[in-house]
Amino acid sequence: LAKTTQPISMDSYEGQEVNITCSHNNIATNDYITWYQQFPSQGPRFIIQGYKTKVTNEVASLFIPADRKSSTLSLPRVSLSDTAVYYCLVGDPEGGKLIFGQGTELSVKP
Amino acid sequence: SAVISQKPSRDICQRGTSLTIQCQVDSQVTMMFWYRQQPGQSLTLIATANQGSEATYESGFVIDKFPISRPNLTFSTLTVSNMSPEDSSIYLCSVEILAGVYEGTDTQYFGPGTRLTVL
């Protein structure tokens, strides 16, 4: 079964860049890595996904090294509204199941 | 993406009763899933809701406790049966949207969740 490790919590200040890393040392070869954002009392919201190297969209960047044993979500210039829990989602190499990370609670302060 | 709604958004139930949660999607989707998120925890997959056949349950979840229906490609229900306080959680449905020609891969989108409290 794929195992993931994320920091439980992180603190940041408005305007800073935040990098959240998910370690996943055994994931499905062909599956993408996906990151979600979740606010209290809401379902997870898709942020970004990638397979290798770097992917960037209007809200975040995702860095995935060649060995795909980790992925780093980068949030540029965070604001108070980025305070949320961030989850990585990876594929299990056995059985095709998708596994959520434990989640990182990001707190952005003024 | 897809617009996903769930009913009810929250409920408080008595021990021993059952609650059926509905999930409606604004477009036809092949794959629908049900997750549980216990307080302060990550999401755990309960089952895959298959249209026209029995749901596929993950280890630790059984049909008698969590019966699922999937009558068509836009709707599914999850029933939490014979509830106990340990069933107090958020229950979320999700759908998998197939990747377009220029997109990476199929992506899961989530409903807003149903917050269940069992007394």
Side-chain angles (χ1 to χ4, degrees):
Chain A
L1 198 67
K3 287 191 174 181
T4 63
T5 303
Q6 294 181 237
I8 294 174
S9 64
M10 294 181 70
D11 290 332
S12 181
Y13 291 93
E14 281 190 294
Q16 288 186 331
E17 178 184 81
V18 171
N19 296 308
I20 306 173
T21 296
C22 177
S23 299
H24 32 73
N25 62 353
N26 181 28
I27 62 172
T29 304
N30 297 325
D31 278 351
Y32 278 57
I33 298 160
T34 310
W35 282 80
Y36 290 84
Q37 175 192 55
Q38 187 176 31
F39 298 112
S41 301
Q42 294 185 25
R45 183 176 74 100
F46 172 87
I47 302 175
I48 195 168
Q49 70 183 184
Y51 185 77
K52 262 185 190 176
T53 63
K54 178 183 175 182
V55 179
T56 298
N57 62 20
E58 62 276 9
V59 297
S61 294
L62 181 61
F63 300 91
I64 303 170
D67 64 5
R68 292 179 19 101
K69 291 184 183 297
S70 66
S71 59
T72 298
L73 174 72
S74 181
L75 304 172
R77 297 179 300 282
V78 293
S79 63
L80 297 177
S81 62
D82 292 317
T83 294
V85 180
Y86 292 83
Y87 293 95
C88 62
L89 178 67
V90 301
D92 182 45
E94 300 174 20
K97 195 165 95 170
L98 293 176
I99 307 291
F100 270 92
Q102 304 91 329
T104 298
E105 186 171 4
L106 173 66
S107 177
V108 180
K109 302 172 183 175
Chain B
S1 64
V3 177
I4 306 165
S5 60
Q6 287 185 232
K7 287 183 184 178
S9 58
R10 58 177 61 221
D11 206 342
I12 300 174
C13 301
Q14 296 297 320
R15 181 195 298 260
T17 63
S18 298
L19 175 72
T20 296
I21 303 168
Q22 299 179 4
C23 178
Q24 180 75 53
V25 191
D26 68 341
S27 58
Q28 293 187 339
V29 294
T30 303
M31 305 295 287
M32 289 182 79
F33 308 91
W34 286 97
Y35 284 83
R36 181 174 72 183
Q37 187 174 27
Q38 294 177 305
Q41 303 292 316
S42 184
L43 288 82
T44 300
L45 180 64
I46 297 172
T48 301
N50 301 308
Q51 197 267 330
S53 64
E54 197 171 278
T56 305
Y57 289 85
E58 297 300 313
S59 175
F61 299 96
V62 295
I63 188 171
D64 290 346
K65 176 66 175 177
F66 297 102
I68 288 171
S69 79
R70 179 86 193 272
N72 56 51
L73 293 177
T74 64
F75 185 79
S76 179
T77 67
L78 169 75
T79 299
V80 186
S81 303
N82 188 25
M83 289 183 284
S84 66
E86 291 72 34
D87 293 320
S88 297
S89 285
I90 297 173
Y91 292 86
L92 299 116
C93 73
S94 77
V95 303
E96 189 172 80
I97 302 297
L98 300 181
V101 175
Y102 301 105
E103 294 166 357
T105 188
D106 306 340
T107 302
Q108 278 197 41
Y109 294 90
F110 288 82
T114 296
R115 181 180 293 274
L116 170 63
T117 301
V118 184
L119 303 177

